[in-house]
Amino acid sequence: MADRTLVQRIAERFREVNGDHPMTAADDAYVTAQFVPLEALCASLGRDSDAARRLMLGRLLPLPGYLRSDGAEMVPRDLFRLAEAAGGSERLHAWFTAHWEDRARGEAEWEAYLSGRYVCLHTVTPTHIRRKEKLTAEITGALAMATADTGVAVSRDTGVAISPGTADGTPAGAADRTCPSPEWRAALHARVDELDALEPAFTAYDRLRFGGPTSRDTCVDAPRALFPRVGPAA
């Protein structure tokens, strides 16, 4: 049986990181489909769940990605994968941060990893983290330049395109815009499609804990709405 003190400490630490936001039935369904309870994962692997909780509290494993409404600590199915690749949880920090030349950046990504908030990737690895960062930067930069040229705004709250001058926030009619060029759109969509493959769908709870739209909202859904594909592939 799980040590209830450890379970409580994990829950407290989780809420310190994410805030205290309610999980809806839809949130629970999403999380159950995407993640697995820590107890069940450890049982399937022959691991001690309390030992895993101690590693989390000791900053040697990431916190759960979600706490389901019933209190279940929901974790990725490959929770122990990086520790195994590093040669053990005690070596994980050095192995992980070595993927960044900038030591400060590596430490910042380590803190983000430990928080359990990397629910924005199907598979959390330093390679995928770095690739997502590059893609989102490129997509954001491309959108900033293009929306400035076309006069289209993007809502900071939802990531949805807004027609300039509309008081009610009516979504912009993107399909009839011919600028930027088809080649520019193709390059944009190549990046968007790659990011789409890296990221899950997210759920409403994520927008609460992150305090706004997710990277899927702003870097996948918004560019597809703003600048639809053109030509035979559209």
Side-chain angles (χ1 to χ4, degrees), residues 39-93:
E39 286 288 338
L41 178 65
C42 289
S44 70
L45 298 175
R47 288 178 174 268
D48 183 345
S49 61
D50 283 340
R53 293 184 181 95
R54 291 187 183 94
L55 290 174
M56 291 175 179
L57 294 168
R59 295 171 49 80
L60 295 173
L61 272 182
L63 290 169
Y66 299 87
L67 290 184
R68 209 167 53 190
S69 291
D70 62 2
E73 303 143 317
M74 304 301 288
V75 298
R77 290 171 174 80
D78 60 356
L79 173 66
F80 300 101
R81 176 185 175 187
L82 295 191
E84 291 169 352
S89 57
E90 69 284 353
R91 298 181 179 179
L92 179 55
H93 172 251

Side-chain angles (χ1 to χ4, degrees), residues 12 24 27 30 46 76 81 84 88 91 93 100 102 119 147 181 199 206 218 221:
E12 290 171 355
T24 66
D27 293 329
Y30 169 83
R81 176 185 175 187
E84 291 169 352
R91 298 181 179 179
H93 172 251
W100 284 266
D102 183 332
V119 296
T147 54
S181 69
E199 292 196 333
D206 293 315
T218 59
D221 296 340

Side-chain angles (χ1 to χ4, degrees), residues 5 9 14 32 37 46 64 82 92 112 149 154 177 199:
T5 299
R9 289 177 63 192
F14 179 90
T32 299
L82 295 191
L92 179 55
D149 290 342
V154 177
R177 288 196 294 275
E199 292 196 333

